[in-house]
Amino acid sequence: MSRGIWRTLGIEPTTDRSVIRRAYAAKLRAMDVEADPAGFARLRDARDAALAGMVDPVAMLPDLDDDSDDDEVVADGFFTPEPEPLPQARVDPVEAERDAAIDHNFRALEALLFPGHDDPSTAEEAAAIAHHGYALLADPRLERIDFAVGAERWFAEHLAIAIPRSDPLLERAAAVFGWIARRDDHTLSYHARQIVDRIGAIRFATLVGDPGHRLHGAWVELVRSDDGQRDWRTTKGRVRELLSIVRQRYPDAEQWMNPVRLAKWDRPASNNPRIGFYVWMAIIVIVAGLRIFLSPGGEPNAVPDTPPQIAYVADPNRIALDLTGLGFARTKAVNPDLAADIRSTATTINAGLTPQRTRQVLIDLANRRLDSGRAHAPDGLLRDIVRFEVDGKRNFATSDPIKCHDFQFPASAMLLPPQAGARQTALIHRTTLESNNRPVTVSRGFDVPGTIIEDMLRRTGIPESRLVDALAQKGEHADICRVQIALREAGLAGGNVGMKLLRNMQPKVIVPATTGSN
């Protein structure tokens, strides 16, 4: 392991994960990331390398034979001298006072998030984390895009690294930077996604922690600290349902469960990966659209000496049937652009892709065309999509508000009632046929007109403050569910204004910038 990473982090070689994280945070705060992207990359690589070495403490020791450029050694054997400090510009007293307050909050927050140990925060520390973090998130400079970009990166990385000590700040930071609303945006950073997942787990734990929740008993059975016998009053079905929800949608919540109690209830088959709509769609496309052949000469019942070779042959007609419900020829007659995309995809697959890459290519095709179709859907199709979402959300409104919150077109297979599968498939086919190759963005941000808000207040009967919070994905899941249903119903009943709202809730076509004439 190069000693250069320790020089970059500014610390001695160590096996203490908290020391590494705190050093990284201090260096990052002092760095202008936009002005020095190469330096930021080196710092991040040094952090990752140091943390990766935690599995092997010996590897964390400095390498005395390393003469890499990171050691900053010149030909005469001395270190490069520090540059002379630049003269300081005159600073406005008001700005100096503001900067001093911000610097105080930064230093205090860093010390609280990275205290040099991994113990959970005390109640006093959690309150202090919230106090200093809220002050930083209230900085008016966050209204400036250039400042907000760097601040968002700083908060995302630091809060994600500091979980669980950063828990008191996650909701506020996510609200300021819009991470939850952008959870389906492919541009959202890895650290911001970690935070969104953590927030989901915390919200879910709070929900099932309510004695009135139907899964409360199962939750208590799995998180209680004693290792005794299972509670006979807790049904196996409820525990398995709870574990299925946690492992498919809120995996972070499993860390709060007692592993001994979990082992008493668990079964190997329940440890499934997440299965969302796009994986489900990929399975359909792969199974139906690809033909799998054994290597020449193989016999179905023979036990080969070596694993059989599997060749994937993509049939454009089969892919077209899966995506549109029509064969290739009929798809081409309705949407030549889509047919050309299908043909190109089949050619790419048949050129010899690996099974993993084949799956990804098919997923990309389905996702890209479905998003494009939603962006270009005619009014009649768009209304049908929204009615489908309303019906699906109402199906869960009283029994499971979390599923109500999650249900949207296209819905994952586990959220679809049996009778809704055919309806969604028909909508997918119709939507895909409306697609083209123009790029779209799936940002979820949109404005709600005042007339729609008034209609939603009448439909839900909840106070305006709670309705506004629910629109921002905050508050009780039951409120969020009711507001999401009312939003769509008000849009359907709102004439031209409502139709514009419903369209703004869909992916948007990216309009290329035009260059003016000289």
Side-chain angles (χ1 to χ4, degrees), residues 328-344:
F328 183 79
R330 293 177 62 192
T331 297
K332 184 175 181 180
V334 175
N335 189 330
D337 177 76
L338 173 59
D341 205 359
I342 291 172
R343 174 76 73 184
S344 174

Side-chain angles (χ1 to χ4, degrees), residues 291-302 304 306-312:
R291 296 193 299 272
I292 303 177
F293 296 94
L294 291 177
S295 58
E299 297 181 7
N301 296 323
T306 59
Q309 304 240 339
I310 299 179
Y312 293 85

Side-chain angles (χ1 to χ4, degrees), residues 229-307:
Q229 295 297 315
R230 302 188 311 189
D231 189 338
W232 63 269
R233 295 169 298 180
T234 305
T235 65
K236 183 180 296 185
R238 288 290 172 86
V239 172
R240 288 179 177 171
E241 180 182 359
L242 175 66
L243 286 174
S244 175
I245 293 173
V246 167
R247 286 167 173 169
Q248 292 177 2
R249 293 151 62 190
Y250 309 107
D252 284 1
E254 190 167 341
Q255 66 182 285
W256 296 310
M257 296 177 182
N258 182 336
V260 177
R261 302 209 62 79
L262 184 61
K264 295 179 185 294
W265 286 93
D266 211 354
R267 58 175 183 175
S270 66
N271 192 16
N272 295 326
R274 298 184 185 186
I275 302 177
F277 163 76
Y278 296 121
V279 176
W280 169 75
M281 187 71 182
I283 291 172
I284 290 178
V285 173
I286 291 170
V287 172
L290 303 178
R291 296 193 299 272
I292 303 177
F293 296 94
L294 291 177
S295 58
E299 297 181 7
N301 296 323
V303 179
D305 294 330
T306 59

Side-chain angles (χ1 to χ4, degrees), residues 447-469:
D447 295 324
V448 182
T451 55
I452 299 294
I453 293 289
E454 293 173 0
D455 190 0
M456 292 171 65
L457 289 170
R458 288 193 298 270
R459 292 175 184 272
T460 61
I462 64 177
E464 184 172 357
S465 60
R466 279 169 52 190
L467 185 143
V468 171
D469 282 345

Side-chain angles (χ1 to χ4, degrees), residues 455-506:
D455 190 0
M456 292 171 65
L457 289 170
R458 288 193 298 270
R459 292 175 184 272
T460 61
I462 64 177
E464 184 172 357
S465 60
R466 279 169 52 190
L467 185 143
V468 171
D469 282 345
L471 278 173
Q473 309 289 319
K474 297 185 291 185
E476 297 293 329
H477 285 282
D479 280 354
I480 295 174
C481 172
R482 292 165 65 187
V483 166
Q484 288 184 343
I485 293 172
L487 175 67
R488 287 159 174 79
E489 290 181 331
L492 289 169
N496 291 335
V497 173
M499 202 65 222
K500 182 178 179 180
L501 167 66
L502 298 181
R503 191 162 297 284
N504 286 339
M505 292 166 62
Q506 307 305 313

Side-chain angles (χ1 to χ4, degrees), residues 169-501:
L169 263 188
L170 301 186
E171 287 272 7
R172 176 59 66 91
V176 169
F177 297 113
W179 291 331
I180 295 177
R182 292 158 50 204
R183 62 188 181 275
D184 296 326
D185 189 338
H186 70 278
T187 63
L188 191 64
S189 72
Y190 167 76
H191 291 106
R193 291 184 188 280
Q194 280 186 297
I195 292 170
V196 171
D197 288 344
R198 178 73 176 184
I199 290 172
I202 293 173
R203 288 184 178 182
F204 178 76
T206 302
L207 186 70
V208 294
D210 184 345
H213 195 279
R214 64 188 184 85
L215 296 178
H216 176 71
W219 176 257
V220 171
E221 171 65 18
L222 292 177
V223 300
R224 67 185 193 177
S225 58
D226 68 277
D227 298 336
Q229 295 297 315
R230 302 188 311 189
D231 189 338
W232 63 269
R233 295 169 298 180
T234 305
T235 65
K236 183 180 296 185
R238 288 290 172 86
V239 172
R240 288 179 177 171
E241 180 182 359
L242 175 66
L243 286 174
S244 175
I245 293 173
V246 167
R247 286 167 173 169
Q248 292 177 2
R249 293 151 62 190
Y250 309 107
D252 284 1
E254 190 167 341
Q255 66 182 285
W256 296 310
M257 296 177 182
N258 182 336
V260 177
R261 302 209 62 79
L262 184 61
K264 295 179 185 294
W265 286 93
D266 211 354
R267 58 175 183 175
S270 66
N271 192 16
N272 295 326
R274 298 184 185 186
I275 302 177
F277 163 76
Y278 296 121
V279 176
W280 169 75
M281 187 71 182
I283 291 172
I284 290 178
V285 173
I286 291 170
V287 172
L290 303 178
R291 296 193 299 272
I292 303 177
F293 296 94
L294 291 177
S295 58
E299 297 181 7
N301 296 323
V303 179
D305 294 330
T306 59
Q309 304 240 339
I310 299 179
Y312 293 85
V313 181
D315 179 3
N317 191 62
R318 186 68 257 176
I319 296 176
L321 281 170
D322 294 324
L323 295 182
T324 70
L326 309 176
F328 183 79
R330 293 177 62 192
T331 297
K332 184 175 181 180
V334 175
N335 189 330
D337 177 76
L338 173 59
D341 205 359
I342 291 172
R343 174 76 73 184
S344 174
T345 300
T347 301
T348 299
I349 293 171
N350 293 335
L353 297 184
T354 64
Q356 293 81 4
R357 183 57 184 153
T358 293
R359 179 179 62 183
Q360 190 59 53
V361 166
L362 290 168
I363 291 174
D364 290 345
L365 173 64
N367 291 354
R368 183 176 70 253
R369 284 295 176 166
L370 199 58
D371 287 339
S372 174
R374 290 170 59 197
H376 295 92
D379 289 355
L381 172 57
L382 185 53
R383 291 191 188 96
D384 288 346
I385 290 173
V386 174
R387 292 189 187 103
F388 173 80
E389 290 182 332
V390 169
D391 292 344
K393 288 180 179 294
R394 284 198 174 280
N395 184 63
F396 296 114
T398 57
S399 62
D400 193 334
I402 293 181
K403 287 184 179 179
C404 169
H405 171 237
D406 289 348
F407 191 97
Q408 62 182 1
F409 175 81
S412 65
M414 66 181 179
L415 291 180
L416 278 176
Q419 65 275 16
R423 182 180 175 189
Q424 171 158 283
T425 299
L427 286 173
I428 290 173
H429 290 167
R430 290 171 59 192
T431 305
T432 303
L433 280 169
E434 296 293 338
S435 66
N436 60 39
N437 259 327
R438 292 185 63 185
V440 301
T441 176
V442 292
S443 174
R444 304 297 181 187
F446 57 90
D447 295 324
V448 182
T451 55
I452 299 294
I453 293 289
E454 293 173 0
D455 190 0
M456 292 171 65
L457 289 170
R458 288 193 298 270
R459 292 175 184 272
T460 61
I462 64 177
E464 184 172 357
S465 60
R466 279 169 52 190
L467 185 143
V468 171
D469 282 345
L471 278 173
Q473 309 289 319
K474 297 185 291 185
E476 297 293 329
H477 285 282
D479 280 354
I480 295 174
C481 172
R482 292 165 65 187
V483 166
Q484 288 184 343
I485 293 172
L487 175 67
R488 287 159 174 79
E489 290 181 331
L492 289 169
N496 291 335
V497 173
M499 202 65 222
K500 182 178 179 180
L501 167 66

